[in-house]
Amino acid sequence: MIAIEKIGPNAHRVAIYGEFHEDDARTFVEFAQDHHAAGEGGNVLIDLVSLASWSFSAMSEELVHIPALLRWIYSLDRIALVSDEQWMRSAARLESALLPGVSYAVYDEDEADAARRWVLGENDHPHGGAVRELDLGEDIAGFELVGRLDREEAERVLDTVRARLAGTDCSKLMVVIRKWHGFAADAALSRHAMSSKIDLLKHCDRYAVVGGPDWLRALAGSFGALVQPEVRTFELDEEDEALAWLRS
């Protein structure tokens, strides 16, 4: 099944749920063709969270109209895809990398609101707001991550942390990872991000990492043995213990 609705002056939501059949694919192709013919451009949110399966005939219908679909895609300003399937999100990110010039963002199901805000133009970049500052007092800089970390967000947050630590009495940092959806490769490779991280080490005495996947906490713990700040990792339900350690 497919449902298409206008959610903003220049934005549409395409929800595909249950079983996706040939008639649904035809409806989608007709929407794309009509939208492109009207010269509307704009933004599209594609919601695949409730998709159960699709038929071979539906795939064939889309493959026949690939040229028309590509023309429509390249006429859009922003495309957001939301899915609860890891393999589908990975495939979508690969597809986006193969479509240069297309602003294409991928979200997990619990990031649906962020996807909608981006499509509606309420956020300047896809994962803006994934990191929020916590009020832990003047001596502790605290931040929480809820979502995926892209380059713009990583650089913004690192600049904020550096401003909190440099030239102040604040020398302790806590990062709480409430929901981890990975990070964009260019976030890790950013020269700005790397130089900011190195600069932070000069101003930080203690660093607590709370939550996140096991491998990330293990990496943080191993890295802590090589740098100046004392680094400790905690489970997500040990946030109070992390604060007590920072304040001790």
Side-chain angles (χ1 to χ4, degrees):
M1 299 291 290
I2 186 171
I4 302 173
E5 61 174 328
K6 192 166 186 176
I7 59 175
N10 206 21
H12 288 80
R13 175 177 177 264
V14 179
I16 301 175
Y17 53 96
E19 296 183 356
F20 187 63
H21 295 293
E22 183 178 355
D23 288 345
D24 302 315
R26 190 173 296 115
T27 297
F28 178 61
V29 170
E30 289 175 356
F31 162 73
Q33 291 175 326
D34 292 345
H35 194 223
H36 179 258
E40 294 181 5
N43 307 327
V44 171
L45 170 62
I46 301 176
D47 186 343
L48 303 179
V49 171
S50 299
L51 173 64
S53 63
W54 58 89
S55 66
F56 178 77
S57 59
M59 293 178 62
S60 300
E61 178 71 20
E62 289 196 347
L63 288 173
V64 168
H65 293 93
I66 283 295
L69 290 173
L70 284 175
R71 286 194 294 272
W72 170 65
I73 287 173
Y74 274 102
S75 74
L76 299 172
D77 298 315
R78 294 179 177 183
I79 304 171
L81 182 142
V82 183
S83 173
D84 59 341
E85 295 286 350
Q86 176 63 50
W87 72 267
M88 194 172 292
R89 293 195 302 273
S90 298
R93 290 190 179 104
L94 176 61
E95 181 183 46
S96 69
L98 299 175
L99 295 174
V102 177
S103 192
Y104 191 154
V106 182
Y107 299 83
D108 203 333
E109 62 176 322
D110 59 9
E111 300 176 290
D113 289 341
R116 188 182 183 96
R117 287 194 298 271
W118 185 62
V119 164
L120 291 174
E122 296 173 4
N123 281 344
D124 291 333
H125 61 87
H127 297 280
V131 181
R132 296 189 288 266
E133 189 167 2
L134 300 171
D135 184 6
L136 301 178
E138 295 183 0
D139 60 335
I140 300 176
F143 297 85
E144 65 175 1
L145 171 63
V146 197
R148 183 173 176 81
L149 194 63
D150 62 15
R151 178 173 181 168
E152 292 87 349
E153 188 72 352
E155 292 180 351
R156 179 190 71 81
V157 172
L158 284 167
D159 285 344
T160 303
V161 177
R162 186 164 56 178
R164 280 292 312 274
L165 296 179
T168 70
D169 293 331
C170 181
S171 62
K172 299 172 184 178
L173 174 64
M174 183 168 83
V175 174
V176 182
I177 305 172
R178 301 204 187 280
K179 293 181 181 177
W180 171 260
H181 293 310
F183 58 89
D186 60 352
L189 300 175
S190 163
R191 289 186 178 180
H192 180 79
M194 289 299 294
S195 63
S196 296
K197 290 175 184 176
I198 293 171
D199 187 58
L200 286 178
L201 300 180
K202 304 174 185 177
H203 306 285
C204 186
D205 295 330
R206 285 190 174 186
Y207 179 20
V209 179
V210 182
D214 293 341
W215 68 265
L216 185 62
R217 291 200 306 278
L219 180 63
S222 299
F223 180 72
L226 305 175
V227 297
Q228 174 184 333
E230 185 179 357
V231 180
R232 288 193 185 180
T233 62
F234 300 83
E235 298 285 350
L236 189 56
D237 59 1
E238 296 178 322
E239 189 172 344
D240 290 340
E241 288 85 341
L243 274 174
W245 174 68
L246 288 173
R247 288 170 175 161
S248 63

